[in-house]
Amino acid sequence: MSANGPLLRVSELQVHFSTRDGTLDAVDRISFEIGANEIFGLVGESGSGKSVTALSILGLVPPPGRIVGGDIVFGGRNLRELPERVLRTIRGREVGMIFQNPRASLDPVRTVAVQLARALRAHHDIGRAEVRRRSVRMLRDLGMPDPEAALTRYPHQLSGGMCQRVMVAMMLSSRPRLLIADEPTTALDETVGAQLLEHLRRFKEEQAASILLITHDMGVIAEMCDRVGVMHAGHVVEVGPVGAVFRDPRHPYTRALLDSTLRIDRDSPLSDIERIPGVVPNLLHPPPGCRFADRCAYVLPVCRPVRPTRREVAPDHHVLCQETVIREFAAP
């Protein structure tokens, strides 16, 4: 972390969705920080609350969702206290986001050239020829086949992976201080996905920017991130340096995620990969205690009725778990 404090601090964030069946507790009092020039990963199963957390940072939680508690402090300003007109100036310029569905984020009636030109001219005083040169270069760097032709097309004429590369180029052109990348490689094949991740890493190094990288892929976290937060059922259950969390996971869910991941350093067949038992709890009626209790091999009687508290188990390494379980889990 910077001596001047984190670039982003999320504290006790709560997000609810109102449904016909009741209130869905999607994000429940989560906290994490992202330092300057840092890549922070947010990992967990589908439905754990990762994307809702990302949308909350930008004030873009869709109805019927709403933020009901907590603070989101970016660059010393609490984004929850800012009026919408100020938030609009921060989105894209200071905080950019690569959405999970890039096609839906692009203007369907404008060509790629027009959309990239708008993004570039919003932040750079450059002429038409330079706009085109930079647009072609950005798309080529991101692995876009025939970038000159791509500029003339509309989003519906592009594949999902091509739309993703256009969205990434638009976001990087504004040179934000914080880039939120929500499953950025989902629509891409392995080779192009690796190119994109390398482009994000280079952007971070060249611009001294920070990145919030959201994924379900533990391998991407290991390759890209400095620190990681592990989400389960709306809770951040473990957060710390990637090396420490991967070498010595202190929450049973983190260990289960790692054990369910195929790793090339394991000399074992696919049948030996452990699967996480059970299902994620119903967040319309979440249990009062630990939300992983019904799936946990280390569960104790105290886990189900009593909400766990966040505990520091090592420097900059925190776990949301009962102290008794942490001791049991850590025992040789």
Side-chain angles (χ1 to χ4, degrees):
M1 290 291 181
S2 166
N4 297 322
L7 176 65
L8 177 75
R9 186 179 75 250
V10 175
S11 303
E12 295 291 306
L13 178 66
Q14 291 180 275
V15 183
H16 291 172
F17 283 79
S18 298
T19 75
R20 292 180 179 178
D21 298 321
T23 299
L24 190 146
D25 193 359
V27 172
D28 184 29
R29 288 174 277 178
I30 70 168
S31 299
F32 62 89
E33 298 177 349
I34 302 178
N37 195 27
E38 176 179 71
I39 301 181
F40 181 88
L42 204 55
V43 68
E45 296 168 283
S46 296
S48 60
K50 305 185 301 295
S51 294
V52 173
T53 298
L55 292 171
S56 299
I57 293 170
L58 289 172
L60 294 176
V61 177
R66 59 194 178 95
I67 300 174
V68 297
D71 294 309
I72 302 168
V73 179
F74 172 74
R77 293 174 294 178
N78 192 339
L79 301 186
R80 290 204 61 208
E81 297 175 350
L82 299 180
E84 175 61 25
R85 59 179 176 78
V86 177
L87 276 177
R88 281 198 296 267
T89 67
I90 293 174
R91 295 184 194 123
R93 181 172 298 176
E94 296 188 59
V95 183
M97 183 163 178
I98 302 168
F99 292 91
Q100 203 170 124
N101 183 357
R103 193 188 305 278
S105 304
L106 297 173
D107 188 335
V109 299
R110 306 289 182 186
T111 65
V112 170
V114 169
Q115 297 187 62
L116 278 173
R118 283 181 172 177
L120 283 165
R121 285 178 175 152
H123 307 286
H124 309 284
D125 184 17
I126 53 179
R128 181 178 299 180
E130 180 64 11
V131 165
R132 184 171 184 85
R133 188 187 71 81
R134 291 193 189 187
S135 296
V136 170
R137 185 188 65 196
M138 287 190 299
L139 293 179
R140 182 179 290 118
D141 287 348
L142 289 166
M144 177 74 83
D146 197 355
E148 291 89 349
L151 289 176
T152 67
R153 293 175 181 154
Y154 295 86
H156 73 272
Q157 297 174 309
L158 303 176
S159 68
M162 290 178 176
C163 287
Q164 182 70 297
R165 279 168 275 196
V166 173
M167 175 58 62
V168 171
M170 290 173 62
M171 288 300 101
L172 296 187
S173 69
S174 65
R175 299 178 182 174
R177 297 168 65 192
L178 173 66
L179 178 67
I180 302 172
D182 189 1
E183 300 279 6
T185 62
T186 296
L188 308 177
D189 64 39
E190 187 173 347
T191 300
V192 176
Q195 290 175 347
L196 172 58
L197 292 176
E198 178 56 33
H199 204 76
L200 293 180
R201 184 188 289 112
R202 191 162 66 246
F203 167 78
K204 174 253 186 185
E205 293 170 351
E206 292 174 354
Q207 302 298 325
S210 299
I211 297 175
L212 171 56
L213 180 60
I214 296 172
T215 181
H216 62 276
D217 191 327
M218 298 294 274
V220 169
I221 294 291
E223 177 187 353
M224 290 288 295
C225 297
D226 303 300
R227 296 169 60 250
V228 61
V230 181
M231 285 200 75
H232 174 266
H235 286 167
V236 171
V237 298
E238 186 161 2
V239 61
V242 165
V245 171
F246 275 51
R247 284 193 307 270
D248 185 23
R250 303 299 296 275
H251 194 284
Y253 177 67
T254 307
R255 171 66 61 80
L257 271 184
L258 289 167
D259 287 344
S260 67
T261 301
L262 177 63
R263 288 166 37 191
I264 60 174
D265 61 342
R266 281 183 174 151
D267 185 19
S268 59
L270 284 172
S271 58
D272 285 351
I273 297 175
E274 297 183 24
R275 290 167 175 79
I276 303 176
V279 296
V280 177
N282 182 354
L283 297 185
L284 283 170
H285 307 287
C290 175
R291 295 183 178 183
F292 189 59
D294 287 343
R295 311 170 75 189
C296 181
Y298 297 85
V299 64
L300 296 174
V302 69
C303 297
R304 289 190 168 90
V306 179
R307 178 185 171 88
T309 57
R310 179 179 163 111
R311 305 175 190 277
E312 187 172 41
V313 295
D316 194 33
H317 189 171
H318 295 83
V319 175
L320 187 72
C321 193
Q322 298 292 347
E323 185 174 8
T324 310
V325 176
I326 294 174
R327 289 201 303 267
E328 175 78 13
F329 184 59

